[in-house]
Amino acid sequence: MGSTTKFVNEFCDIIDSYGGRDKVMKALCYSAKLVAGYHAKRNPDLAKRYAIASSKISGARATLRLIDDIPMIQYALEYGLGQDEPDRIMAMLGVTANVVDLLYYPIEKICWLSEHKIVDVKHADQWDNVNSIFWVLSVYLNLMRTLRNFWLNQEKLNRSHQLSSPTNIDAKSLAKHRLELMSVVRISLDFVHAVSTLPKGYLWGGKLSTFQVGSIGTLSACLGIYQIFAKRRLNK
């Protein structure tokens, strides 16, 4: 009973934050899409219901992102030219990622306004394609930063291993390194998904089925939720 109460309390703390709530909404969105894809031919009526649920949740997430550019601008100003990064490559990737994200959010707003017919946007399909391209770039740069950070941490652990016995290596550092590896897997899944939204003819754009997209999105969201729980316990 005590462990259940602890889990519920932790879960409530997580969904009380924007990032945690978005991860849970993402899990619900893509698990519904997964069910819709699975039942597409078995039970079309049920598949349609879950597809509608997935679409509505996705729309809610997009609406909540409308003000994301405000904290993004603050983060970019605080980040500057990446003076606090461990090397120039990380700084270069960080600055580039910030520029891409600062351009991505206004484009997403234009697409949202067009989708809801609030503003008459010419060539709306082209704006959607541009939006997908910037999403792919954003995820790709985030993946490169995470891979670079993972490699730098691996080098640091290897040096520690050479200087002392494996038992002396900080267990917390090892746990954080494993979480970083999980981030690589999660963002790789997000990249596969992002590329699938590109127009047909670009890499694997438009080639993934609803079931495949649902599976990738659900797994990514579940990994993200697990990481939030794990990081909270590491920081205690």
Side-chain angles (χ1 to χ4, degrees), residues 84-128:
D84 296 331
E85 293 289 7
D87 66 7
R88 288 184 179 179
I89 295 175
M90 283 290 288
M92 182 181 67
L93 288 170
V95 171
T96 307
N98 288 343
V99 171
V100 168
D101 286 341
L102 287 170
L103 293 171
Y104 170 58
Y105 286 122
I107 292 169
E108 189 178 39
K109 280 184 178 58
I110 293 170
C111 292
W112 185 89
L113 291 168
S114 173
E115 180 186 353
H116 294 279
K117 301 184 179 0
I118 298 170
V119 174
D120 185 19
V121 178
K122 293 182 179 179
H123 311 296
D125 290 343
Q126 292 182 19
W127 278 104
D128 284 337

Short mmCIF file of all heavy atoms in Angstrom, two decimals, residues 84-128:
data_model
loop_
_atom_site.label_atom_id
_atom_site.label_comp_id
_atom_site.label_asym_id
_atom_site.label_seq_id
_atom_site.Cartn_x
_atom_site.Cartn_y
_atom_site.Cartn_z
N ASP A 84 29.42 27.43 -21.39
CA ASP A 84 29.51 26.44 -20.32
C ASP A 84 29.59 25.00 -20.83
O ASP A 84 29.65 24.06 -20.03
CB ASP A 84 28.28 26.56 -19.40
CG ASP A 84 28.23 27.90 -18.68
OD1 ASP A 84 29.31 28.46 -18.44
OD2 ASP A 84 27.12 28.38 -18.39
N GLU A 85 29.58 24.82 -22.15
CA GLU A 85 29.65 23.48 -22.71
C GLU A 85 31.07 22.92 -22.57
O GLU A 85 32.04 23.69 -22.53
CB GLU A 85 29.25 23.48 -24.19
CG GLU A 85 27.79 23.82 -24.45
CD GLU A 85 26.84 22.71 -24.04
OE1 GLU A 85 27.27 21.72 -23.42
OE2 GLU A 85 25.63 22.83 -24.33
N PRO A 86 31.20 21.59 -22.52
CA PRO A 86 32.53 20.99 -22.33
C PRO A 86 33.48 21.15 -23.51
O PRO A 86 34.70 21.09 -23.33
CB PRO A 86 32.22 19.50 -22.08
CG PRO A 86 30.86 19.29 -22.67
CD PRO A 86 30.13 20.58 -22.50
N ASP A 87 32.96 21.33 -24.72
CA ASP A 87 33.84 21.56 -25.86
C ASP A 87 33.12 22.37 -26.94
O ASP A 87 31.92 22.66 -26.84
CB ASP A 87 34.38 20.24 -26.44
CG ASP A 87 33.29 19.36 -27.04
OD1 ASP A 87 32.13 19.81 -27.14
OD2 ASP A 87 33.59 18.22 -27.42
N ARG A 88 33.86 22.76 -27.98
CA ARG A 88 33.32 23.63 -29.02
C ARG A 88 32.24 22.93 -29.85
O ARG A 88 31.31 23.58 -30.34
CB ARG A 88 34.46 24.10 -29.94
CG ARG A 88 35.39 25.10 -29.28
CD ARG A 88 36.43 25.60 -30.27
NE ARG A 88 37.33 26.58 -29.65
CZ ARG A 88 38.33 27.16 -30.29
NH1 ARG A 88 38.58 26.83 -31.57
NH2 ARG A 88 39.09 28.05 -29.67
N ILE A 89 32.38 21.63 -30.03
CA ILE A 89 31.39 20.90 -30.83
C ILE A 89 30.03 20.96 -30.15
O ILE A 89 29.01 21.22 -30.79
CB ILE A 89 31.83 19.43 -31.04
CG1 ILE A 89 33.10 19.38 -31.89
CG2 ILE A 89 30.71 18.63 -31.72
CD1 ILE A 89 33.67 17.99 -32.07
N MET A 90 30.01 20.74 -28.83
CA MET A 90 28.76 20.82 -28.08
C MET A 90 28.17 22.23 -28.16
O MET A 90 26.96 22.41 -28.31
CB MET A 90 28.99 20.43 -26.62
CG MET A 90 29.13 18.94 -26.38
SD MET A 90 27.57 18.04 -26.60
CE MET A 90 26.66 18.58 -25.15
N ALA A 91 29.04 23.23 -28.07
CA ALA A 91 28.58 24.62 -28.14
C ALA A 91 27.99 24.93 -29.51
O ALA A 91 26.94 25.57 -29.62
CB ALA A 91 29.74 25.57 -27.84
N MET A 92 28.67 24.47 -30.56
CA MET A 92 28.20 24.72 -31.92
C MET A 92 26.84 24.04 -32.16
O MET A 92 25.92 24.63 -32.73
CB MET A 92 29.22 24.19 -32.93
CG MET A 92 28.84 24.43 -34.39
SD MET A 92 30.08 23.76 -35.52
CE MET A 92 29.91 22.00 -35.23
N LEU A 93 26.73 22.79 -31.70
CA LEU A 93 25.46 22.07 -31.84
C LEU A 93 24.35 22.75 -31.04
O LEU A 93 23.21 22.86 -31.51
CB LEU A 93 25.63 20.62 -31.38
CG LEU A 93 26.43 19.69 -32.27
CD1 LEU A 93 26.71 18.37 -31.56
CD2 LEU A 93 25.69 19.43 -33.58
N GLY A 94 24.70 23.23 -29.85
CA GLY A 94 23.72 23.89 -28.99
C GLY A 94 23.20 25.17 -29.60
O GLY A 94 21.98 25.42 -29.61
N VAL A 95 24.08 26.00 -30.10
CA VAL A 95 23.68 27.28 -30.72
C VAL A 95 22.83 27.02 -31.97
O VAL A 95 21.80 27.67 -32.17
CB VAL A 95 24.92 28.13 -31.08
CG1 VAL A 95 24.52 29.34 -31.91
CG2 VAL A 95 25.64 28.58 -29.81
N THR A 96 23.26 26.07 -32.79
CA THR A 96 22.51 25.74 -34.01
C THR A 96 21.12 25.23 -33.66
O THR A 96 20.12 25.61 -34.30
CB THR A 96 23.26 24.69 -34.84
OG1 THR A 96 24.60 25.12 -35.08
CG2 THR A 96 22.57 24.47 -36.19
N ALA A 97 21.05 24.36 -32.66
CA ALA A 97 19.75 23.81 -32.23
C ALA A 97 18.83 24.92 -31.74
O ALA A 97 17.62 24.92 -32.03
CB ALA A 97 19.96 22.77 -31.13
N ASN A 98 19.38 25.87 -31.01
CA ASN A 98 18.58 26.99 -30.51
C ASN A 98 18.02 27.84 -31.65
O ASN A 98 16.86 28.27 -31.61
CB ASN A 98 19.39 27.86 -29.55
CG ASN A 98 19.66 27.18 -28.22
OD1 ASN A 98 18.99 26.21 -27.87
ND2 ASN A 98 20.64 27.66 -27.49
N VAL A 99 18.85 28.11 -32.65
CA VAL A 99 18.41 28.89 -33.81
C VAL A 99 17.28 28.16 -34.54
O VAL A 99 16.26 28.76 -34.90
CB VAL A 99 19.59 29.16 -34.77
CG1 VAL A 99 19.09 29.78 -36.07
CG2 VAL A 99 20.61 30.07 -34.12
N VAL A 100 17.46 26.85 -34.75
CA VAL A 100 16.43 26.06 -35.43
C VAL A 100 15.12 26.07 -34.64
O VAL A 100 14.04 26.26 -35.21
CB VAL A 100 16.91 24.60 -35.63
CG1 VAL A 100 15.76 23.69 -36.07
CG2 VAL A 100 18.02 24.56 -36.67
N ASP A 101 15.21 25.91 -33.32
CA ASP A 101 14.01 25.89 -32.49
C ASP A 101 13.31 27.25 -32.48
O ASP A 101 12.08 27.33 -32.48
CB ASP A 101 14.34 25.47 -31.06
CG ASP A 101 14.64 23.98 -30.95
OD1 ASP A 101 14.23 23.23 -31.86
OD2 ASP A 101 15.27 23.57 -29.95
N LEU A 102 14.08 28.33 -32.47
CA LEU A 102 13.50 29.67 -32.49
C LEU A 102 12.75 29.94 -33.79
O LEU A 102 11.78 30.72 -33.81
CB LEU A 102 14.59 30.73 -32.28
CG LEU A 102 15.16 30.83 -30.86
CD1 LEU A 102 16.40 31.72 -30.84
CD2 LEU A 102 14.12 31.35 -29.88
N LEU A 103 13.17 29.30 -34.87
CA LEU A 103 12.47 29.42 -36.15
C LEU A 103 11.29 28.44 -36.24
O LEU A 103 10.26 28.74 -36.85
CB LEU A 103 13.44 29.15 -37.31
CG LEU A 103 14.55 30.19 -37.52
CD1 LEU A 103 15.56 29.69 -38.55
CD2 LEU A 103 13.96 31.52 -37.96
N TYR A 104 11.48 27.29 -35.59
CA TYR A 104 10.46 26.22 -35.66
C TYR A 104 9.15 26.61 -34.99
O TYR A 104 8.07 26.39 -35.54
CB TYR A 104 11.04 24.95 -35.02
CG TYR A 104 10.05 23.84 -34.80
CD1 TYR A 104 9.34 23.30 -35.86
CD2 TYR A 104 9.83 23.30 -33.53
CE1 TYR A 104 8.43 22.25 -35.66
CE2 TYR A 104 8.94 22.28 -33.31
CZ TYR A 104 8.24 21.76 -34.38
OH TYR A 104 7.35 20.75 -34.19
N TYR A 105 9.22 27.24 -33.84
CA TYR A 105 7.99 27.56 -33.09
C TYR A 105 7.07 28.52 -33.84
O TYR A 105 5.85 28.28 -33.89
CB TYR A 105 8.34 28.10 -31.70
CG TYR A 105 8.81 27.02 -30.75
CD1 TYR A 105 10.05 27.09 -30.13
CD2 TYR A 105 8.01 25.92 -30.47
CE1 TYR A 105 10.48 26.10 -29.25
CE2 TYR A 105 8.44 24.92 -29.60
CZ TYR A 105 9.67 25.02 -29.00
OH TYR A 105 10.08 24.04 -28.14
N PRO A 106 7.56 29.60 -34.43
CA PRO A 106 6.66 30.47 -35.21
C PRO A 106 6.03 29.75 -36.41
O PRO A 106 4.86 29.99 -36.74
CB PRO A 106 7.57 31.61 -35.67
CG PRO A 106 8.71 31.61 -34.71
CD PRO A 106 8.91 30.19 -34.34
N ILE A 107 6.81 28.88 -37.05
CA ILE A 107 6.28 28.13 -38.20
C ILE A 107 5.15 27.21 -37.74
O ILE A 107 4.11 27.10 -38.40
CB ILE A 107 7.41 27.32 -38.88
CG1 ILE A 107 8.41 28.26 -39.54
CG2 ILE A 107 6.83 26.35 -39.92
CD1 ILE A 107 9.68 27.59 -40.00
N GLU A 108 5.35 26.57 -36.58
CA GLU A 108 4.30 25.69 -36.04
C GLU A 108 3.04 26.49 -35.72
O GLU A 108 1.92 26.00 -35.91
CB GLU A 108 4.80 24.97 -34.80
CG GLU A 108 3.84 23.88 -34.31
CD GLU A 108 4.34 23.13 -33.10
OE1 GLU A 108 4.94 23.76 -32.22
OE2 GLU A 108 4.13 21.92 -33.04
N LYS A 109 3.21 27.72 -35.24
CA LYS A 109 2.06 28.58 -34.95
C LYS A 109 1.27 28.88 -36.23
O LYS A 109 0.03 28.87 -36.23
CB LYS A 109 2.52 29.90 -34.33
CG LYS A 109 2.84 29.80 -32.85
CD LYS A 109 3.18 31.18 -32.32
CE LYS A 109 3.47 31.13 -30.83
NZ LYS A 109 4.57 30.23 -30.49
N ILE A 110 1.99 29.18 -37.31
CA ILE A 110 1.33 29.46 -38.59
C ILE A 110 0.51 28.26 -39.04
O ILE A 110 -0.63 28.39 -39.48
CB ILE A 110 2.37 29.85 -39.66
CG1 ILE A 110 3.02 31.20 -39.31
CG2 ILE A 110 1.74 29.92 -41.05
CD1 ILE A 110 4.22 31.56 -40.15
N CYS A 111 1.09 27.07 -38.90
CA CYS A 111 0.38 25.84 -39.27
C CYS A 111 -0.85 25.61 -38.39
O CYS A 111 -1.90 25.19 -38.87
CB CYS A 111 1.32 24.64 -39.17
SG CYS A 111 2.65 24.64 -40.38
N TRP A 112 -0.72 25.93 -37.10
CA TRP A 112 -1.85 25.78 -36.17
C TRP A 112 -2.97 26.74 -36.53
O TRP A 112 -4.15 26.36 -36.56
CB TRP A 112 -1.36 26.03 -34.75
CG TRP A 112 -2.40 25.78 -33.68
CD1 TRP A 112 -2.65 24.61 -33.04
CD2 TRP A 112 -3.32 26.74 -33.13
NE1 TRP A 112 -3.67 24.77 -32.12
CE2 TRP A 112 -4.10 26.07 -32.16
CE3 TRP A 112 -3.56 28.10 -33.37
CZ2 TRP A 112 -5.09 26.72 -31.42
CZ3 TRP A 112 -4.54 28.74 -32.63
CH2 TRP A 112 -5.30 28.05 -31.68
N LEU A 113 -2.63 27.99 -36.83
CA LEU A 113 -3.63 28.99 -37.22
C LEU A 113 -4.32 28.61 -38.52
O LEU A 113 -5.53 28.79 -38.67
CB LEU A 113 -2.96 30.37 -37.38
CG LEU A 113 -2.44 31.02 -36.09
CD1 LEU A 113 -1.55 32.21 -36.41
CD2 LEU A 113 -3.61 31.46 -35.21
N SER A 114 -3.55 28.03 -39.43
CA SER A 114 -4.12 27.58 -40.70
C SER A 114 -5.05 26.39 -40.51
O SER A 114 -6.15 26.34 -41.07
CB SER A 114 -2.99 27.22 -41.67
OG SER A 114 -3.50 26.63 -42.84
N GLU A 115 -4.60 25.42 -39.69
CA GLU A 115 -5.39 24.21 -39.46
C GLU A 115 -6.75 24.54 -38.85
O GLU A 115 -7.77 23.93 -39.21
CB GLU A 115 -4.62 23.27 -38.53
CG GLU A 115 -5.36 21.98 -38.22
CD GLU A 115 -4.64 21.13 -37.19
OE1 GLU A 115 -3.50 21.48 -36.80
OE2 GLU A 115 -5.23 20.12 -36.74
N HIS A 116 -6.79 25.50 -37.95
CA HIS A 116 -8.03 25.86 -37.27
C HIS A 116 -8.78 26.99 -37.98
O HIS A 116 -9.74 27.53 -37.43
CB HIS A 116 -7.74 26.24 -35.82
CG HIS A 116 -7.24 25.08 -35.00
ND1 HIS A 116 -8.08 24.14 -34.45
CD2 HIS A 116 -5.98 24.69 -34.67
CE1 HIS A 116 -7.37 23.23 -33.80
NE2 HIS A 116 -6.09 23.54 -33.92
N LYS A 117 -8.30 27.34 -39.19
CA LYS A 117 -8.96 28.33 -40.04
C LYS A 117 -9.16 29.69 -39.34
O LYS A 117 -10.15 30.38 -39.55
CB LYS A 117 -10.32 27.80 -40.53
CG LYS A 117 -10.20 26.51 -41.34
CD LYS A 117 -11.52 26.07 -41.89
CE LYS A 117 -11.48 24.82 -42.73
NZ LYS A 117 -10.26 24.13 -42.96
N ILE A 118 -8.19 30.02 -38.47
CA ILE A 118 -8.21 31.32 -37.81
C ILE A 118 -7.63 32.38 -38.74
O ILE A 118 -8.08 33.52 -38.78
CB ILE A 118 -7.42 31.26 -36.48
CG1 ILE A 118 -8.08 30.26 -35.53
CG2 ILE A 118 -7.31 32.64 -35.84
CD1 ILE A 118 -7.28 29.94 -34.30
N VAL A 119 -6.63 31.98 -39.50
CA VAL A 119 -5.99 32.85 -40.49
C VAL A 119 -5.95 32.12 -41.82
O VAL A 119 -5.69 30.91 -41.87
CB VAL A 119 -4.55 33.23 -40.05
CG1 VAL A 119 -3.84 34.02 -41.13
CG2 VAL A 119 -4.58 34.02 -38.75
N ASP A 120 -6.22 32.85 -42.88
CA ASP A 120 -6.17 32.25 -44.22
C ASP A 120 -4.71 32.24 -44.69
O ASP A 120 -4.16 33.29 -45.04
CB ASP A 120 -7.05 33.06 -45.18
CG ASP A 120 -7.13 32.42 -46.56
OD1 ASP A 120 -6.82 31.21 -46.67
OD2 ASP A 120 -7.48 33.12 -47.54
N VAL A 121 -4.10 31.07 -44.66
CA VAL A 121 -2.69 30.93 -45.02
C VAL A 121 -2.59 30.34 -46.42
O VAL A 121 -3.15 29.27 -46.70
CB VAL A 121 -1.95 30.02 -44.02
CG1 VAL A 121 -0.50 29.84 -44.44
CG2 VAL A 121 -2.03 30.60 -42.62
N LYS A 122 -1.91 31.05 -47.31
CA LYS A 122 -1.71 30.53 -48.67
C LYS A 122 -0.66 29.42 -48.65
O LYS A 122 0.29 29.47 -47.89
CB LYS A 122 -1.27 31.66 -49.59
CG LYS A 122 -2.34 32.72 -49.83
CD LYS A 122 -1.85 33.77 -50.80
CE LYS A 122 -2.94 34.81 -51.05
NZ LYS A 122 -2.47 35.87 -52.00
N HIS A 123 -0.86 28.44 -49.51
CA HIS A 123 0.07 27.32 -49.62
C HIS A 123 0.26 26.62 -48.27
O HIS A 123 1.39 26.40 -47.82
CB HIS A 123 1.42 27.76 -50.17
CG HIS A 123 1.32 28.61 -51.41
ND1 HIS A 123 0.81 28.11 -52.59
CD2 HIS A 123 1.66 29.90 -51.63
CE1 HIS A 123 0.84 29.07 -53.52
NE2 HIS A 123 1.35 30.16 -52.96
N ALA A 124 -0.85 26.29 -47.61
CA ALA A 124 -0.80 25.68 -46.27
C ALA A 124 -0.03 24.36 -46.28
O ALA A 124 0.68 24.06 -45.31
CB ALA A 124 -2.22 25.45 -45.76
N ASP A 125 -0.14 23.59 -47.35
CA ASP A 125 0.58 22.31 -47.43
C ASP A 125 2.09 22.53 -47.41
O ASP A 125 2.82 21.74 -46.80
CB ASP A 125 0.19 21.55 -48.71
CG ASP A 125 -1.24 21.04 -48.64
OD1 ASP A 125 -1.80 20.98 -47.54
OD2 ASP A 125 -1.80 20.70 -49.71
N GLN A 126 2.53 23.59 -48.07
CA GLN A 126 3.97 23.88 -48.09
C GLN A 126 4.45 24.28 -46.69
O GLN A 126 5.56 23.91 -46.28
CB GLN A 126 4.27 24.98 -49.10
CG GLN A 126 4.06 24.56 -50.55
CD GLN A 126 4.42 25.64 -51.54
OE1 GLN A 126 5.14 26.58 -51.21
NE2 GLN A 126 3.91 25.53 -52.76
N TRP A 127 3.62 25.02 -45.98
CA TRP A 127 3.97 25.38 -44.60
C TRP A 127 4.07 24.14 -43.73
O TRP A 127 4.96 24.04 -42.87
CB TRP A 127 2.94 26.36 -44.02
CG TRP A 127 3.17 27.78 -44.42
CD1 TRP A 127 2.47 28.49 -45.36
CD2 TRP A 127 4.17 28.66 -43.93
NE1 TRP A 127 2.98 29.76 -45.48
CE2 TRP A 127 4.02 29.89 -44.60
CE3 TRP A 127 5.19 28.54 -42.98
CZ2 TRP A 127 4.85 30.99 -44.35
CZ3 TRP A 127 6.01 29.62 -42.72
CH2 TRP A 127 5.85 30.82 -43.40
N ASP A 128 3.17 23.18 -43.95
CA ASP A 128 3.22 21.92 -43.20
C ASP A 128 4.53 21.18 -43.49
O ASP A 128 5.13 20.59 -42.58
CB ASP A 128 2.03 21.02 -43.57
CG ASP A 128 0.74 21.50 -42.92
OD1 ASP A 128 0.80 22.19 -41.89
OD2 ASP A 128 -0.34 21.17 -43.45
#
